[in-house]
Amino acid sequence: MAKSTTAFTCTACGASHKKWAGRCDACGAWNTIVEEAPLSQGPGRGLGAHKGRAVPLSSLQTTEAPPPRHLAGMDELDRVLGGGLVPGSAVLVGGDPGIGKSTLLLQGAAAFARRGLQAVYISGEEASAQVRMRAQRLGLADAPVRLGSETNLRDILTTLDNERPDLAIIDSVQTLWSDQVEAAPGSVAQVRAAAHELVTFAKRKGVAIFLVGHVTKEGQIAGPRVVEHMVDTVIYFEGERGHQFRILRSVKNRFGPADEIGVFEMTGSGLAEVANPSALFLSERGQPVPGSAVFAGIEGTRPVLTEVQALVAPSTLASPRRTVVGLDSGRVSTILAVLEARCGIPFAGLDVFLNVAGGMRVNEPAADLAIAGALLSAREDSALPPDAVLFGEISLSGALRPVAQAENRLKEAQKLGFSQAILPDSQKVEGAGGMGTRRIADLTGFVGEVFGAG
Ligand code: TYD
Ligand code: MG
């Protein structure tokens, strides 16, 4: 047997290197290079000497109808999948340990199974009895889901090949091991080999596969990002510890729009769908409070209102605190710098805390104006108009830039009882409905208009 030579792989981008280095040349990440057996020693089937065969090529035209999608009947899940499950697709579901991935997928499997699909749930983390107990508690015991408890990749593939279900759930990819790869379960080599084999199986046999992946503290699916490239759809299950809301977000989807979200609530009897997230995220609003701004956002194809909350207080620290939850902290720093440089409003010597209510994450640049609004309102100790929503992107010059889908944002705000919107001057709006619009050219104008100072 040929002696296997070791290679070094970057866990961030998957690039391979001849020798170890502190920094990956390919992606620039530090301390991400690990030693592993090269892939060709692993799961490949005779990648060796014989000549390849010619692949038949075809034209782009098709007479075939697109494959039917299967609906789970859980609207929040179906939407995030891009309008139902595509047969033979591979879906990666990532999230922190304990966030509810197993619960979601057990409920999803049961929902698909009750609609006549053959569903198999393979757990590598829990014994079948444990999964059965959970199913009982969730009221799913009668759903025709077939359960298995296994971590050996070869045995799992053989089982799936015999059963040929419509969908299979593998919980989790980090527990799998293949005897053809000399590395511990959970290592880059094992995770990559297992994902590769399962995705290939899904395509060849038309079995839709859900892979569960735990993410590390840095927010990456543990081990390689390469798993993300292999699968058709990547969805993350997010939420703040201590909040009962869980957000399912598609970050990649070959079969539908990405950035769709589904909102769930973790209850004593599993995950409950939240059909109107705006109402939920705003439900705690009472009297107008300084530091609160309502952002009219868009998540995927759906408008969602969220409340940005800020607290600004004198700091005793040499470098004041900037604590940001649910927003991009780089974005927040930029907005603080623009407020300081363009409007002459300093935040030096002040601690800044920013938070999106309800455990939601907002990534849209359109949230800039709401962030600035919350910051200014907290700093001036003056509440924004309670019936107003805000949206608009802030450029480095302090000017406000228009954003997409203004009409949808306004419609959602109106539906939830808001009567005015503060938005960029340059924003085109075709029909604001009954909403009043306050148009602002730049951040200085915003300070003058809303806080009566310039
Ligand atoms: P789980 O699905 O096991 O998380 P993951 O697979 O992502 O690691 O969910 C575990 C958490 O969910 C656990 O802390 C308890 C909570 N939970 C409920 O609150 N209600 C329920 O009905 C269930 C099944 C779990
Ligand atoms: Mg789990």
Side-chain angles (χ1 to χ4, degrees):
M1 192 181 130
K3 187 171 177 293
S4 76
T5 46
T6 48
F8 295 85
T9 304
C10 172
T11 54
C13 69
S16 56
H17 301 271
K18 283 216 176 66
K19 55 183 201 283
W20 189 86
R23 181 169 181 269
C24 172
D25 304 335
C27 68
W30 287 90
N31 288 329
T32 53
I33 295 181
V34 296
E35 185 175 353
E36 66 167 36
L39 187 61
S40 56
Q41 300 289 319
R45 246 176 297 275
L47 288 173
H50 57 255
K51 200 163 157 245
R53 78 189 155 85
V55 177
L57 304 174
S58 61
S59 80
L60 289 176
Q61 276 164 353
T62 175
T63 49
E64 288 165 43
R69 283 174 180 261
H70 301 299
L71 293 174
M74 292 167 73
D75 289 346
E76 301 296 302
L77 177 61
D78 289 334
R79 179 179 330 98
V80 175
L81 289 172
L85 182 63
V86 175
S89 64
V91 182
L92 178 67
V93 180
D96 289 333
I99 201 79
K101 300 181 294 298
S102 302
T103 309
L104 174 78
L105 289 173
L106 189 58
Q107 287 183 249
F112 281 117
R114 281 179 174 154
R115 294 187 150 218
L117 267 65
Q118 303 261 9
V120 169
Y121 186 108
I122 308 272
S123 179
E125 302 194 335
E126 294 163 295
S128 296
Q130 262 174 300
V131 181
R132 266 198 296 276
M133 249 153 62
R134 178 186 305 212
Q136 198 114 49
R137 200 147 55 81
L138 298 174
L140 305 173
D142 61 321
V145 177
R146 323 269 318 270
L147 275 185
S149 178
E150 185 51 66
T151 56
N152 184 320
L153 180 64
R154 202 103 339 257
D155 294 349
I156 291 173
L157 285 169
T158 307
T159 311
L160 294 182
D161 204 19
N162 291 346
E163 299 281 327
R164 290 295 173 88
D166 296 306
L167 73 139
I169 286 148
I170 311 292
D171 187 3
S172 67
V173 70
Q174 273 100 4
T175 57
L176 300 184
W177 63 278
S178 159
D179 44 20
Q180 300 190 18
V181 178
E182 280 179 47
S187 65
V188 182
Q190 285 286 7
V191 169
R192 185 167 57 184
H196 174 75
E197 294 263 317
L198 284 162
V199 171
T200 315
F201 176 85
K203 305 273 152 226
R204 255 206 331 260
K205 307 287 162 90
V207 175
I209 291 200
F210 284 88
L211 293 173
V212 175
H214 295 295
V215 297
T216 58
K217 273 196 224 81
E218 294 80 40
Q220 288 181 358
I221 300 237
R225 293 220 91 156
V226 270
V227 176
E228 293 195 3
H229 304 308
M230 285 185 224
V231 296
D232 301 307
T233 305
V234 178
I235 56 189
Y236 280 95
F237 208 29
E238 343 175 306
E240 293 296 327
R241 284 287 159 90
H243 281 291
Q244 69 266 50
F245 308 120
R246 299 281 181 269
I247 290 146
L248 195 61
R249 188 188 293 275
S250 67
V251 296
K252 162 184 169 179
N253 196 345
R254 289 190 186 141
F255 304 116
D259 273 329
E260 280 297 358
I261 64 163
V263 184
F264 294 89
E265 191 178 348
M266 185 59 99
T267 69
S269 51
L271 291 157
E273 295 181 69
V274 174
N276 187 349
S278 300
L280 177 137
F281 290 130
L282 297 175
S283 61
E284 293 148 34
R285 284 174 68 78
Q287 293 301 305
V289 249
S292 155
V294 177
F295 167 50
I298 299 281
E299 295 290 343
T301 53
R302 155 163 91 162
V304 177
L305 301 194
T306 41
E307 183 186 345
V308 179
Q309 301 170 331
L311 181 65
V312 174
S315 179
T316 54
L317 302 171
S319 65
R321 251 179 235 282
R322 301 285 183 257
T323 304
V324 179
V325 178
L327 295 163
D328 177 24
S329 52
R331 201 81 208 163
V332 171
S333 302
T334 309
I335 295 166
L336 287 169
V338 173
L339 281 170
E340 191 144 356
R342 307 293 176 197
C343 311
I345 300 174
F347 281 82
L350 296 170
D351 284 334
V352 172
F353 304 89
L354 263 173
N355 176 31
V356 180
M360 178 74 182
R361 246 206 98 75
V362 175
N363 295 321
E364 267 192 291
D368 288 358
L369 188 60
I371 296 172
L375 286 168
L376 286 166
S377 161
R379 192 181 183 286
E380 307 295 314
D381 200 24
S382 151
L384 287 161
D387 62 341
V389 296
L390 296 85
F391 59 87
E393 184 178 342
I394 296 172
S395 69
L396 290 182
S397 66
L400 287 185
R401 297 156 53 88
V403 302
Q405 302 198 46
E407 297 77 15
N408 278 344
R409 299 174 198 265
L410 293 174
K411 217 184 284 168
E412 177 78 358
Q414 191 176 23
K415 206 167 82 190
L416 283 139
F418 290 86
S419 53
Q420 56 169 325
I422 303 175
L423 46 83
D425 203 13
S426 50
Q427 182 77 54
K428 286 201 180 61
V429 179
E430 281 157 23
M435 289 284 282
T437 52
R438 284 167 83 174
R439 294 172 166 278
I440 312 264
D442 57 22
L443 214 43
T444 313
F446 176 62
V447 178
E449 161 102 13
V450 181
F451 299 97

